[in-house]
Amino acid sequence: MKTMTRWAALAPTLAPILALGTALSLSMSGMAFAADAGKTAPDGKGITVDLTRPDWVAFRNLYQQLVQTNTTLSSGSCTAAAQAVANRLTAIGLKKSDVRVLVPEGRPKDGALAAVLPGTDPAAKPILLLAHIDVVEAKREDWQRDPFTLVEENGYFYGRGSSDDKAMAAVFADLLVRLRQEGFRPKRTIKLALTCGEETSDTFDGVQYLLAHDRDALDAEFALNEGAGGRLDKDGKYLALEIQAGEKVYQDFTLETTNPGGHSSRPSKDNAIYHLAAGLNRLATFDFPVALNPVTKAYFTALSPVIGGAVGADMIATTKDNPDPAAITRISQDPGWNSTLRTTCVATMATAGHAPNALPQHAQANVNCRILPGQPLEEVRQTLIKVLDDPAIKVTAVGQPSPVSPPPALTPTVLDPVKEVAAKMWPGVPVVPTMSTGATDGRFLNAAGIATYGLSGMFRDPDGSGVHGLNERIRVRSLYEGREFLYAVVKKYAG
C-alpha cells in the first residue's frame, strides 16, 4: 500500500501506546466549581476551578479577550490579539526583549506573538507551544449568538475561535504567566508562538513566514500544537485522550466548465451548470478506498475495547488485512472515523452563471481534499477526473502543494509526561495515537525538522463542536481541564 511507506518509521513507537491499558477518566463529580479560594481536589478526582482565585479570573478574562478580538482575514486583526497577549506577558514581568509582536512587511494585521521563558541549561533544546489566533469567517446573521462575543451557556463557551484555536492560545499564554508568577525556572527554554493565517494559508501563513524570516522564534526540539484532543461519546463519557503524530494533506481543486451560453429562452442540454452538477453528484456517492497505516490501525485497536459491543467489533474487523466491507460501511457512518479510514474529497463552494436570463457561460466549484500521507496529489486529481466522468469538467489543483514529511516518533520523552499527568487527572481512559484528519501548521514545522505533536487534553463532543461551522463551542469543563493538563505536562517537559 503506497500510504504505508511514510509511516513505517512509526511502528517501533506504537508498542508503548498500545500497552498503556489505562490513562484517563473523569467522573462528573471530579470537577468542582469551588467557592473557597485555594481549594484543590485530590489526585484522580479531576480538578477544582475556583473563579474567585486571581489566576483563574485572569485566565478566563484572557480567553474572553481573545475570542472577542475579531481575527478573521476579511475584517479582523491578529496583530491586535498578539499585542493584547504581549501586554499581559510584560505586565507580569517578562522582559520586553523576550516578548515580541512580529508584523510582516505589507501585512499590518497579520502579526504574530513570539515570547520566551528562558531556560537555565543552554545545552537543553527548547520546547515550543504553538497556537494560531486567526479564525474562520463567521456571519452574525447565521449564528444564534454573536460569534465575537463569548457566551457561557448550559456548560459551554460559544464563539468563533472558542475551540479552534483560541482555547489553546489562551492556555499557552496563561501557562507562561503562571510559571513566571510562581518563580519556576525551567531547564529548557519555553517558547510561545501565537501565529496568524493557519486558516487561510494560501493567502498568508504565519508559521511559514517565521520559518523563512525569524526561525529562532520557532526553533525547538519539539512543539505542542492543535490537532488532537479527547473524544467523548454522545452521553459525555470519556472515551480516549488522543496524541497526534502526523496529519492528512490539505489540497483544494477547482472544477470548471465553460460554454458559449446564449439566451435563456433557447435552452440546450449542453449547459455548464448541468455538467458540473452531474459530476458533483457522482462525486457525492464516491468513497476513496480504505487505506490504514500503523497509526490509524493503532487508533482503532486501542479504541475498540473502550467503545465495546458491535461498534468495537467493527473497529477490529476494519483493521484486518482483509477488512469486512460491511464493518467498514458501518464505521464510516461516523464522519471522523470515515476520514481516518481514507482520503476524502468534498465540494465546499460553487459559483455559476452571469445573468438570470442567460445560459451559463461558466460554472465552477471548489473541492476540498484531505489526502492520506504518502498518496500522491496527482493520483487524487486523476481519481477525481475519473469519478466526475465528464471531459467538459476541468480539474486543477489550487495553490502550492502542502509539504509532506514522515510523522514524528512518539518517544518516551514525549509520551511519559502525558501518561503521568493523565493517569492522575483521568484514570481509566486509553491514550491513543491519532492522525489528524484536518490540516495544521504542524505540517510546516515537521517538514522543517521540528517534531510537532497535537495535544490539548480538551475533550470534545462527537459532532465536531461546530468548529469551522455555526455556533462553535467548547465545554467549559473541557477548557479548564485543558488548562490544568497542559500546565502540568509542559512543566514536566521543561524540567
Side-chain angles (χ1 to χ4, degrees):
M1 199 177 297
K2 292 180 180 179
T3 56
M4 295 291 287
T5 56
R6 294 184 180 274
W7 296 85
L10 254 189
T13 71
L14 296 175
I17 302 170
L18 294 175
L20 281 177
T22 62
L24 309 171
S25 169
L26 189 59
S27 66
M28 278 302 263
S29 61
M31 180 174 173
F33 290 80
D36 301 323
K39 187 175 182 180
T40 58
D43 286 349
K45 298 294 185 182
I47 64 171
T48 296
V49 176
D50 181 359
L51 292 179
T52 68
R53 211 171 71 189
D55 66 307
W56 278 107
V57 173
F59 168 68
R60 194 192 184 287
N61 289 343
L62 170 60
Y63 175 63
Q64 180 171 336
Q65 184 177 23
L66 282 175
V67 172
Q68 295 188 175
T69 302
N70 184 338
T71 53
T72 59
L73 177 64
S74 65
S75 59
S77 173
C78 289
T79 303
Q83 187 61 60
V85 176
N87 293 343
R88 287 176 178 266
L89 295 179
T90 55
I92 54 91
L94 286 186
K95 295 179 181 179
K96 290 187 176 181
S97 58
D98 289 334
V99 180
R100 299 181 293 155
V101 175
L102 306 171
V103 182
E105 185 176 353
R107 303 196 67 88
K109 295 183 178 181
D110 294 333
L113 172 78
V116 173
L117 189 63
T120 59
D121 183 357
K125 293 184 178 180
I127 60 173
L128 171 67
L129 311 180
L130 175 70
H132 67 87
I133 48 178
D134 63 306
V135 297
V136 170
E137 301 290 338
K139 295 181 180 179
R140 175 65 186 94
E141 59 268 27
D142 295 339
W143 284 53
Q144 294 177 17
R145 308 160 190 84
D146 183 347
F148 298 108
T149 297
L150 184 69
V151 175
E152 184 174 349
E153 186 178 295
N154 298 325
Y156 287 90
F157 285 123
Y158 289 87
R160 176 57 89 214
S162 58
S163 178
D164 183 17
D165 187 30
K166 290 179 176 178
M168 287 191 72
V171 165
F172 282 155
D174 170 77
L175 199 156
L176 257 63
V177 170
R178 294 175 73 179
L179 295 180
R180 175 67 179 82
Q181 289 182 325
E182 69 185 32
F184 177 71
R185 301 185 66 197
K187 181 178 180 181
R188 296 176 184 265
T189 292
I190 301 173
K191 294 183 177 181
L192 171 67
L194 304 182
T195 60
C196 194
E198 193 271 352
E199 302 290 9
T200 53
S201 57
D202 281 342
T203 300
F204 169 81
D205 185 88
V207 167
Q208 285 185 291
Y209 176 85
L210 291 176
L211 285 171
H213 296 90
D214 197 338
R215 183 179 170 116
D216 185 63
L218 302 176
D219 222 6
E221 181 174 348
F222 64 91
L224 299 185
N225 183 34
E226 63 171 339
R231 187 177 178 94
L232 301 167
D233 70 10
K234 61 182 178 59
D235 299 317
K237 176 186 175 184
Y238 287 63
L239 298 179
L241 176 74
E242 300 170 344
I243 180 166
Q244 178 225 330
E247 59 188 61
K248 295 176 86 173
V249 178
Y250 179 108
Q251 183 62 50
D252 287 312
F253 292 90
T254 296
L255 277 51
E256 223 172 353
T257 57
T258 57
N259 191 284
H263 201 288
S264 61
S265 67
R266 296 167 55 84
S268 165
K269 300 298 184 185
D270 183 20
N271 182 300
I273 293 176
Y274 295 164
H275 279 286
L276 183 62
L280 289 175
N281 278 335
R282 287 187 283 273
L283 179 61
T285 62
F286 171 76
D287 286 321
F288 281 80
V290 170
L292 293 180
N293 54 58
V295 167
T296 53
K297 277 190 175 183
Y299 172 79
F300 284 118
T301 301
L303 197 57
S304 62
V306 179
I307 301 294
V311 177
D314 281 345
M315 287 181 169
I316 294 298
T318 299
T319 64
K320 301 298 184 184
D321 290 339
N322 295 305
D324 176 12
I328 289 172
T329 298
R330 290 188 291 267
I331 291 295
S332 298
Q333 299 308 304
D334 181 288
W337 292 340
N338 177 63
S339 191
T340 301
L341 289 170
R342 51 169 58 91
T343 289
T344 60
C345 291
V346 61
T348 55
M349 299 174 69
T351 58
H354 62 284
N357 59 350
L359 299 177
Q361 298 170 2
H362 180 262
Q364 179 176 304
N366 185 82
V367 167
N368 178 249
C369 296
R370 307 301 175 117
I371 304 170
L372 289 172
Q375 185 172 13
L377 182 153
E378 180 59 20
E379 181 181 290
V380 174
R381 192 180 79 88
Q382 291 298 328
T383 300
L384 289 175
I385 291 171
K386 183 178 179 180
V387 171
L388 295 168
D389 193 25
D390 187 341
I393 304 175
K394 181 181 178 182
V395 181
T396 307
V398 177
Q400 293 295 320
S402 293
V404 179
S405 57
L410 289 165
T411 64
T413 298
V414 174
L415 277 175
D416 287 351
V418 174
K419 292 187 288 184
E420 291 171 21
V421 175
K424 290 182 179 180
M425 285 187 67
W426 309 296
V429 175
V431 174
V432 299
T434 187
M435 172 193 69
S436 175
T437 57
T440 77
D441 277 331
R443 67 192 188 275
F444 302 118
L445 291 180
N446 280 316
I450 303 169
T452 304
Y453 305 92
L455 184 72
S456 73
M458 300 178 195
F459 286 77
R460 294 184 171 92
D461 296 327
D463 66 358
S465 301
V467 170
H468 285 210
L470 296 177
N471 307 308
E472 181 179 346
R473 69 187 189 276
I474 188 172
R475 297 192 321 162
V476 173
R477 178 178 173 187
S478 292
L479 175 70
Y480 291 153
E481 288 170 355
R483 178 187 188 238
E484 296 305 287
F485 174 74
L486 288 170
Y487 166 78
V489 168
V490 171
K491 204 168 180 180
K492 287 183 179 292
Y493 284 150

